[in-house]
Amino acid sequence: MQRPPRMLACALLLIPGVVAAQTKLEDNVGQAVTILERFREIPERAIPEAVMRDAKGLAILTVLKAGFLFSGQGGLGLVVARTRTGWVRGEHGERGRGAGWSVPSAIGTGGAGFGFQVGAEVTEYVMVLNTDEAVKAFSRGGNVTLGGDVSVAAGPVGRTAAAAVTPVAAVYSYSRSQGLFAGVSVTGTVIATRDGADKEYYGRKVTPEEILSGQVKPPASAHRLQNELAKF
């Protein structure tokens, strides 16, 4: 069960210039806001409003894949969940607890292999958690295998997509690479909890369950992300 975190570490060593520069959760928060803004810039190929409206949570990742004779990839990001007891921020400051979005919990993914690739590619992912079970999978800590622990499918795209029906998978996945946006299959991907990043960000040891259930008060740097999430 310890293999995925070691694979993640190997991937980060392979490509320190881009991914390792964002090992702090605070940096991931800023990147997540940028990714959500970019996704909304493509309305014809965006995540359907019905999917976002019904989402129980979101996992947002930036993944760098690089290779020269051998290949490796590493990704860092965060996961948030809708909660009835989260922290609501008003126009003039924090109003207190209420229905909204949780603060972020740090996650990462990575791997290494052999091949003949040369170069690097950065891909941004948004994974929509459609069910409470999907949120629980991310809340328990450790590793989550997409397609194993929870079902996953390429998400429908476009504002007019008929997505207001029961989701076909617990997780819908989307990616944006080199300006192109689409639903994408990520079956087999292992996502690991980054407990150290959570502890550093919140100034104390906290569990993913505490974070995603709305028990953790948001730091000032999380307000921009919560404001962006409130648009959905």
Side-chain angles (χ1 to χ4, degrees):
M1 294 297 294
Q2 296 300 313
R3 187 179 179 185
R6 290 202 297 268
M7 292 172 65
L8 173 60
C10 291
L12 296 180
L13 289 174
L14 279 169
I15 43 183
V18 176
V19 177
Q22 295 188 2
T23 54
K24 292 182 179 295
L25 181 52
E26 184 172 355
D27 296 329
N28 304 148
V29 168
Q31 182 65 14
V33 172
T34 299
I35 291 173
L36 290 174
E37 291 174 342
R38 287 173 178 167
F39 273 54
R40 288 193 295 105
E41 289 172 358
I42 320 173
E44 310 80 28
R45 300 285 293 171
I47 301 174
E49 293 179 359
V51 171
M52 293 298 291
R53 182 183 64 242
D54 296 336
K56 300 294 191 290
L58 295 174
I60 304 170
L61 289 156
T62 300
V63 176
L64 175 65
K65 184 175 182 180
F68 183 78
L69 298 184
F70 62 91
S71 63
Q73 67 177 20
L76 297 176
L78 55 84
V79 59
V80 293
R82 287 192 194 273
T83 174
R84 297 178 181 177
T85 57
W87 293 85
V88 179
R89 178 175 169 80
E91 182 179 351
H92 303 292
E94 188 177 287
R95 293 201 304 256
R97 298 173 75 87
W101 291 87
S102 73
V103 291
S105 177
I107 56 176
T109 185
F114 294 96
F116 293 95
Q117 291 187 330
V118 177
E121 180 181 59
V122 175
T123 304
E124 299 165 346
Y125 290 91
V126 173
M127 301 175 190
V128 180
L129 311 186
N130 293 315
T131 66
D132 292 330
E133 289 69 25
V135 174
K136 289 178 182 178
F138 281 87
S139 298
R140 66 174 179 245
N143 305 322
V144 177
T145 302
L146 301 179
D149 296 320
V150 292
S151 60
V152 61
V157 295
R159 289 184 173 178
T160 59
V165 296
T166 302
V168 300
V171 177
Y172 278 155
S173 58
Y174 299 86
S175 72
R176 181 183 183 276
S177 179
Q178 298 178 344
L180 300 177
F181 173 82
V184 63
S185 175
V186 290
T187 299
T189 299
V190 178
I191 298 179
T193 301
R194 295 159 50 211
D195 295 324
D198 284 338
K199 182 178 180 180
E200 179 181 5
Y201 187 62
Y202 295 109
R204 62 185 179 89
K205 185 177 180 180
V206 290
T207 66
E209 183 178 8
E210 290 173 326
I211 295 171
L212 297 180
S213 63
Q215 299 179 46
V216 179
K217 185 176 180 180
S221 60
H223 291 156
R224 186 184 171 202
L225 174 60
Q226 291 194 310
N227 290 340
E228 184 65 27
L229 290 168
K231 298 175 183 178
F232 301 108

